[in-house]
Amino acid sequence: MSTPFDIQQVAVIGAGTMGRGIVVSLASAGFPVLWLESNAPTLDAGLTMIEQTWAQQVGKQRITQEEADAHLARVRPVQSYADLAEADLVIEAVYESLELKQEIFRALDSHLKPQAILASNTSALDIDAIAAVTKRAQQVLGLHFFSPAHIMKLLEIVRGNATSRDVLDAALLLAQRAGKVAVVAGNCPGFIGNRMLRSYVAEARKLLLEGAMPQQVDDALQQFGFAMGPFRMYDVVGIDLEWRARQLAGQGMDDPLVRIDNALCDLGRLGQKTGQGYYRYAAGSRVAEHDPLVDNLVLEVSQGLGYRRREIDAQEILQRCLLALINEGAKILEEGIAASSHDIDQVWLNGYGFPAQTGGPMHWADEQGISQMVAGLEHLQGMFGEHWRAAGLLQRLKVSGKRFADVVEGAV
C-alpha cells in the first residue's frame, strides 16, 4: 500500500491518560513525537509516566535499556501550535468536548502545513462536525485508540464524509507500523464498538432495575467467556467518566438507566481507583469483592423508580445482553458503518474482551443460526416492545438463508 501522505513526524495534543498511551505507542514504534500540553504539571506527570512505562518494560526484559532511551529521545515536549508546523499527522487526545476539539482543530488548521493530517482520538463525537471547522476536511479523521493505548491492540479509524482514501491508507499504514489491529468505521455516535456497547450496557442496567444484582449479571457474562462483565468493566475504567460527561453536557443525568451509577458517584464510589465502586477492593488489590451496600443501593434506586422486582436467571441475562449486541451490530452492517461482520468481530475481540473462542459476536450469531437470533428478538419484542424489533438485515438474512459473513457493504 502506498500513499501520497508519508507520515514520519507525528504530534500528540494532550497529556492525560489517552495522550500518554498514544505517545508511548507511537514512540515505541519508531515515530518521533511532538507533545503539546498547555498544563505544565500534567505534561510533567505524563513525561514521568512514559519514562516509568519503558523502565518497567526493561525490568521485564521486553526491551533493552538502549531501546528505552531511544524511545524517550523520540518524544519532544513543545510549547505552542506553531511548534507543530512540520508535523505530518497530529492526534488530538483531550477530553470529550466537541467545542474544545473544534477550537483545537481551528488552531491546527491555521498552523500546520497544508498536507498534514488532523486526527481526533474521540470515542464517540461527530468527526464531520470536527472536520467542518477546518479547510481540509478530506484530511480529517478519527483515530480512536483504546485505553490503555500502548497495550490495547485495537484502533478504530473513523472516516468522515469527506475523508480521502489516501488519508485512510496512510492511517492504516501507521496502525500497521504501530502493531495495531485497525478497523475502518463510518461516522455515527459511538462508531462501531461504543455504539454496540451502549446497547449491551443499557440491557445490563435495565436488568439491575428489574431484579438482578451487579455480580449476578457479571457472573453470567463471564461464564459465557467475557474477560469481565459490564459492572466490573465500569469499575476498571471509572464509573465517573460517563458521569462527568453527563454533567459536562448538562443532559442525561435523569435517565433512569444511570441512576445507580449517579448514586455510586455521589458516594465517591468511582471504581477500582477509589477502592470501591460496584464492588469493593482491598488496598492495592484489583480483586472485585461483593459489597452488600451496593445491593441495597440497587434495591433503593429501582424501588424508588417504581419497579416491581422479579427473579432473573442467567439465561435471560445472556439472551438480552447478547441479542442487544447482535441486533445493533446488524444495524451497523446494514448502514455501512462497518464494511463486514469480520470487522465488527475484530473490534469486539480486540477492544472489548468478547470471548476469543467464539470468533466474535457476529461470527457467534452465524454459528448459532440467524433464525435463532430472530426468534430470540421476536420473543423479547413480545415481552418488552418495539425496542427489540429485529434489524431489517437480520430479517432479510433469515428469509434468504444467508449469514452475516455473506454481507458485503451493507448488501446481501
Side-chain angles (χ1 to χ4, degrees):
M1 190 198 304
S2 67
T3 164
F5 294 94
D6 184 20
I7 298 174
Q8 296 298 331
Q9 176 67 64
V10 299
V12 174
I13 297 179
T17 305
M18 287 309 303
R20 296 170 192 185
I22 293 168
V23 168
V24 170
S25 189
L26 295 174
S28 298
F31 291 99
V33 183
L34 301 170
W35 202 1
L36 179 60
E37 166 59 68
S38 56
N39 183 296
T42 303
L43 180 61
D44 288 343
L47 289 164
T48 302
M49 176 270 183
I50 66 170
E51 193 166 358
Q52 286 171 345
T53 300
W54 286 315
Q56 284 163 3
Q57 290 179 0
V58 172
K60 291 174 180 169
Q61 298 187 319
R62 289 182 186 156
I63 59 173
T64 64
Q65 186 59 53
E66 290 71 29
E67 285 171 320
D69 294 342
H71 295 343
L72 193 59
R74 290 189 195 104
V75 180
R76 184 157 67 87
V78 294
Q79 303 298 312
S80 68
Y81 289 110
D83 297 328
L84 306 179
E86 288 310 304
D88 301 309
L89 165 72
V90 181
I91 302 170
E92 161 275 309
V94 304
Y95 63 87
E96 293 285 81
S97 157
L98 181 60
E99 291 73 21
L100 177 61
K101 290 178 190 288
Q102 287 174 325
E103 188 185 313
I104 289 168
F105 273 69
R106 278 191 198 96
L108 290 172
D109 194 37
S110 63
H111 284 94
L112 267 79
K113 61 187 181 185
Q115 65 271 38
I117 297 170
L118 311 183
S120 175
N121 176 57
T122 180
S123 58
L125 294 176
D126 185 349
I127 292 297
D128 292 329
I130 294 170
V133 303
T134 74
K135 296 183 181 69
R136 61 177 91 194
Q138 72 284 0
Q139 285 156 241
V140 175
L141 77 167
L143 288 179
H144 177 211
F145 288 79
F146 281 66
S147 186
H150 57 296
I151 294 169
M152 295 292 278
K153 284 284 187 198
L154 182 64
L155 176 62
E156 267 185 323
I157 298 175
V158 186
R159 52 177 168 79
N161 281 333
T163 311
S164 80
R165 183 70 242 181
D166 287 336
V167 166
L168 286 177
D169 286 346
L172 286 162
L173 276 174
L174 173 104
Q176 189 181 354
R177 189 170 156 191
K180 298 294 184 189
V181 173
V183 172
V184 176
N187 181 35
C188 66
F191 317 129
I192 296 172
N194 281 342
R195 175 171 160 182
M196 288 172 70
L197 181 71
R198 197 172 298 135
S199 298
Y200 166 79
V201 166
E203 281 316 303
R205 286 170 162 159
K206 283 176 198 168
L207 287 159
L208 293 196
L209 295 176
E210 292 169 27
M213 288 296 173
Q215 188 169 12
Q216 188 193 352
V217 173
D218 284 349
D219 284 352
L221 288 155
Q222 284 158 208
Q223 278 160 17
F224 175 73
F226 270 92
M228 60 181 79
F231 302 109
R232 272 192 62 205
M233 175 196 74
Y234 271 119
D235 272 4
V236 170
V237 300
I239 305 170
D240 58 319
L241 283 187
E242 288 187 4
W243 179 63
R244 289 185 204 287
R246 290 191 288 276
Q247 290 175 322
L248 205 68
Q251 60 189 45
M253 289 299 275
D254 295 333
D255 182 345
L257 294 190
V258 298
R259 293 284 180 88
I260 294 167
D261 288 48
N262 292 349
L264 288 168
C265 290
D266 288 340
L267 291 171
R269 300 183 67 112
L270 310 183
Q272 273 185 5
K273 60 188 170 189
T274 57
Q276 44 186 358
Y278 275 99
Y279 299 87
R280 62 180 173 214
Y281 303 84
S285 169
R286 293 183 178 180
V287 177
E289 296 174 16
H290 176 244
D291 191 340
L293 188 146
V294 175
D295 293 351
N296 292 335
L297 187 73
V298 168
L299 286 172
E300 197 180 303
V301 171
S302 69
Q303 287 166 353
L305 287 165
Y307 281 85
R308 291 181 63 181
R309 296 178 68 79
R310 61 182 174 84
E311 283 293 315
I312 291 177
D313 62 15
Q315 188 52 42
E316 181 179 348
I317 292 168
L318 276 183
Q319 186 185 43
R320 284 172 62 178
C321 289
L322 293 175
L323 284 179
L325 205 53
I326 303 304
N327 206 29
E328 199 64 47
K331 292 172 188 175
I332 283 169
L333 201 50
E334 189 170 28
E335 292 166 25
I337 297 297
S340 68
S341 60
H342 175 72
D343 279 359
I344 296 174
D345 287 336
Q346 288 296 93
V347 168
W348 271 80
L349 291 169
N350 292 286
Y352 296 88
F354 200 88
Q357 68 275 14
T358 64
M362 310 314 276
H363 183 266
W364 176 82
D366 277 347
E367 294 290 296
Q368 300 300 306
I370 295 296
S371 293
Q372 192 179 322
M373 297 296 109
V374 173
L377 287 162
E378 285 171 348
H379 166 71
L380 290 170
Q381 187 183 350
M383 284 178 66
F384 300 108
E386 278 304 289
H387 162 72
W388 283 104
R389 179 175 291 281
L393 175 62
L394 262 171
Q395 295 177 6
R396 291 198 301 279
L397 288 173
K398 180 189 170 184
V399 171
S400 65
K402 291 188 173 175
R403 297 150 58 98
F404 284 126
D406 300 321
V407 180
V408 180
E409 293 185 354
V412 183

